[in-house]
Amino acid sequence: MLYAPTNVRPALFALHALDIELARVIATTTEPMIGEIRLAWWREALLKLDAGQVPAQPLLTAIAAQVLPRGVSGRSLEQLEDGFHRTLMGGKGATVRGAALFAALAIVLEADPDAAMTMGQVWALGEEARIGAMIPDAPVMTEPVASALRPLAGLATLARRDIERARQGRRVEPRGTTMRQAILLRSVVFGR
């Protein structure tokens, strides 16, 4: 997200932090019922944001201050929680998660959220590949990428690389390698 304009970075970081927090709920839950309760708390808290009720939780405060004023609603973020809920219940929630997150990121970037959803699906499948999950075919991104969406396209490009490496039985690369940074930079600059 460091390739995004500086004025929107706090909102982008808050959205990624929400994704990480919901992922932590799934990762630390040993009983699905407890996980459902924890996710339900987040869902209700996100919906309360639309009514101006900000629970005393630092991440929700940041979302209310940085994300909501940019046009993202708590209701739209509920879709992110839904993706994690599906995953918790043994379903395929990764693509729902990725589409919801990238749609919100696109709104913050003042870009078309529908154009970002496929990138988000690819990114989420890449995250699954990084932890060793079996990955179905990732959606294909064929349309030209608007310049505002290039930071997101870069993440999707890296995710597609992770998916291919996992399918070939190769280890995924550590996140900060020089090669990954070069690929990300190329994607941001040239849109491919």
Side-chain angles (χ1 to χ4, degrees):
M1 295 292 94
L2 295 178
Y3 292 112
T6 57
N7 64 322
V8 299
R9 287 181 195 165
L12 299 176
F13 291 142
L15 288 168
H16 276 291
L18 176 61
D19 181 76
I20 290 167
E21 188 62 36
L22 294 175
R24 189 181 343 258
V25 169
I26 300 297
T28 60
T29 295
T30 56
E31 293 291 327
M33 187 69 130
I34 301 293
E36 279 190 281
I37 293 168
R38 292 170 66 196
L39 287 173
W41 182 89
W42 279 99
R43 181 183 334 106
E44 290 171 14
L46 291 169
L47 292 174
K48 285 180 182 178
L49 293 177
D50 290 340
Q53 301 170 10
V54 182
Q57 199 278 349
L59 178 53
L60 292 170
T61 302
I63 290 170
Q66 299 293 332
V67 177
L68 296 186
R70 297 192 176 279
V72 177
S73 68
R75 179 159 300 285
S76 66
L77 295 176
E78 179 188 25
Q79 293 300 311
L80 182 60
E81 181 275 334
D82 181 53
F84 281 104
H85 184 261
R86 290 180 191 202
T87 299
L88 177 68
M89 302 313 291
K92 301 295 183 189
T95 55
V96 173
R97 164 198 180 191
L101 177 62
F102 273 50
L105 293 169
I107 291 169
V108 168
L109 292 167
E110 298 179 354
D112 180 14
D114 292 333
M117 292 174 84
T118 301
M119 288 183 257
Q121 292 171 341
V122 172
W123 171 81
L125 292 173
E127 291 295 297
E128 294 285 307
R130 291 189 73 77
I131 60 171
M134 293 297 294
I135 303 300
D137 288 335
V140 177
M141 301 177 303
T142 57
E143 300 174 13
V145 177
S147 61
L149 290 177
R150 287 183 181 174
L152 302 183
L155 295 175
T157 299
L158 292 174
R160 186 166 296 286
R161 181 177 168 90
D162 291 340
I163 292 167
E164 290 307 314
R165 289 178 71 93
R167 282 202 175 141
Q168 295 167 1
R170 298 167 55 202
R171 281 186 326 117
V172 294
E173 300 166 305
R175 291 197 191 271
T177 65
T178 304
M179 178 59 78
R180 288 177 74 83
Q181 294 304 311
I183 291 167
L184 182 59
L185 180 61
R186 183 188 70 209
S187 183
V188 170
V189 172
F190 299 110
R192 51 185 167 95

